[in-house]
Amino acid sequence: MRPVIGIIGNSYLINDQYPAHAAGTMNSEAIAEVSGCMPMIVPSDPKLVSVSELLELCDGFLFTGGRPNVHPSEYGHAETEAHGDFDRERDAITLPLIREAVERGLPVFGICRGFQEVAVAFGSTLHPEIRDLPGRENHRMPPDGTLEEKFAIRHKVTFTPDGPFAKLMGAQHVMTNTLHGQGITDAGDRIVIDGYAPDGTPEAIYVKDAKGFTYSVQWHPEWNAGLDPVSRPLFTAFGAAAHAWRAEKMGQKSVKSA
């Protein structure tokens, strides 16, 4: 059986009436086709699932993007209109799940909001609208156009020389899309920023002294993940980490049952 990857879902209203939990098809495709794992969408609501159950069931977690933002109270800031919409149920699942998964060594991969969740889970603060900061560019998704146009490559990301992202990519500089409004202001003690956009916006992080895979990116590598030279190494490495975790877990179960 393939490793099971919990893909964190978001809450939606279909036709403005029917409540649903969902995650983008491109996330599931990237996990199944590039990571070689079984995607499982997680309803991010503590009334429906628990962190402890997810940790036992899954071999890794993909923390996806989403329109609602992490509530600023999670990093000690007051709520303002600029912070936009929130999903407190998702906050209640993802933040403790990230901390415990990292502690155990389960692979964790954060994308866009997921990147911000990993950062906040380990003490980082966020700015609600980084385009308002001096010298920063607008990183938000273009309001109009096709999906291809919205997910088009828009800026360079520069990694730390000889850092883990540069080694994974085989390059210090890559080109990525960008579809976010918030960004890291101050990184927590365990959050290592390993890549930046040209305007200084943090784009790639990992958790210091973690036992397992904790790479997170501010862009959206799930788009065209099977063909894109930047996306594919991320999902391939994440899948390899999940396969290694599952093999170790199954080996431990075999020993206990012997």
Side-chain angles (χ1 to χ4, degrees):
M1 179 175 172
R2 292 174 294 170
V4 176
I5 301 300
I7 300 176
I8 302 303
N10 288 297
S11 296
Y12 296 96
L13 282 177
I14 299 175
N15 294 329
D16 294 323
Q17 290 183 318
Y18 186 80
H21 285 109
T25 301
M26 65 183 76
N27 291 298
S28 297
E29 291 174 342
I31 290 300
E33 298 170 5
V34 185
S35 299
C37 300
M38 188 180 81
M40 184 185 72
I41 297 174
V42 174
S44 53
D45 187 331
K47 298 189 298 293
L48 306 176
V49 298
S50 70
V51 169
S52 60
E53 289 172 317
L54 291 172
L55 289 165
E56 292 302 317
L57 180 65
C58 297
D59 302 299
F61 297 96
L62 179 66
F63 295 88
T64 60
R67 186 171 296 278
N69 294 313
V70 178
H71 196 276
S73 64
E74 300 290 352
Y75 47 92
H77 287 191
E79 177 183 335
T80 70
E81 185 176 344
H83 284 96
D85 298 327
F86 305 113
D87 185 344
R88 299 299 277 138
E89 285 75 24
R90 174 165 168 159
D91 292 346
I93 287 292
T94 57
L95 298 178
L97 179 59
I98 288 167
R99 296 184 190 105
E100 187 58 32
V102 170
E103 178 63 26
R104 294 191 184 194
L106 269 81
V108 166
F109 186 10
I111 291 174
C112 199
R113 175 190 161 116
F115 166 98
Q116 295 164 10
E117 286 171 329
V118 172
V120 169
F122 288 96
S124 303
T125 62
L126 305 177
H127 192 281
E129 195 63 77
I130 57 172
R131 63 183 174 180
D132 292 340
L133 293 172
R136 298 294 184 92
E137 303 293 331
N138 181 7
H139 289 252
R140 283 192 173 276
M141 177 180 69
D144 302 309
T146 64
L147 273 182
E148 287 77 10
E149 291 167 333
K150 291 180 178 180
F151 282 88
I153 299 301
R154 288 175 55 196
H155 68 59
K156 179 170 67 174
V157 172
T158 299
F159 302 124
T160 303
D162 297 321
F165 277 89
K167 291 178 180 176
L168 179 64
M169 299 293 177
Q172 189 182 350
H173 308 284
V174 299
M175 297 296 295
T176 73
N177 55 37
T178 183
L179 298 90
H180 65 100
Q182 295 199 133
I184 293 176
T185 304
D186 297 304
D189 290 342
R190 293 190 64 191
I191 294 297
V192 180
I193 301 174
D194 199 47
Y196 291 88
D199 65 355
T201 298
E203 293 280 342
I205 61 173
Y206 62 91
V207 180
K208 183 180 178 181
D209 298 327
K211 300 175 183 177
F213 184 103
T214 61
Y215 293 7
S216 296
V217 297
Q218 185 63 87
W219 69 90
H220 282 264
E222 74 274 22
W223 174 257
N224 199 28
L227 298 176
D228 184 80
V230 176
S231 300
R232 189 171 187 87
L234 286 165
F235 279 98
T236 299
F238 179 58
H243 277 270
W245 171 267
R246 181 169 181 83
E248 181 179 355
K249 180 172 69 174
M250 298 308 293
Q252 291 173 349
K253 287 183 178 180
S254 297
V255 170
K256 289 180 180 179
S257 62

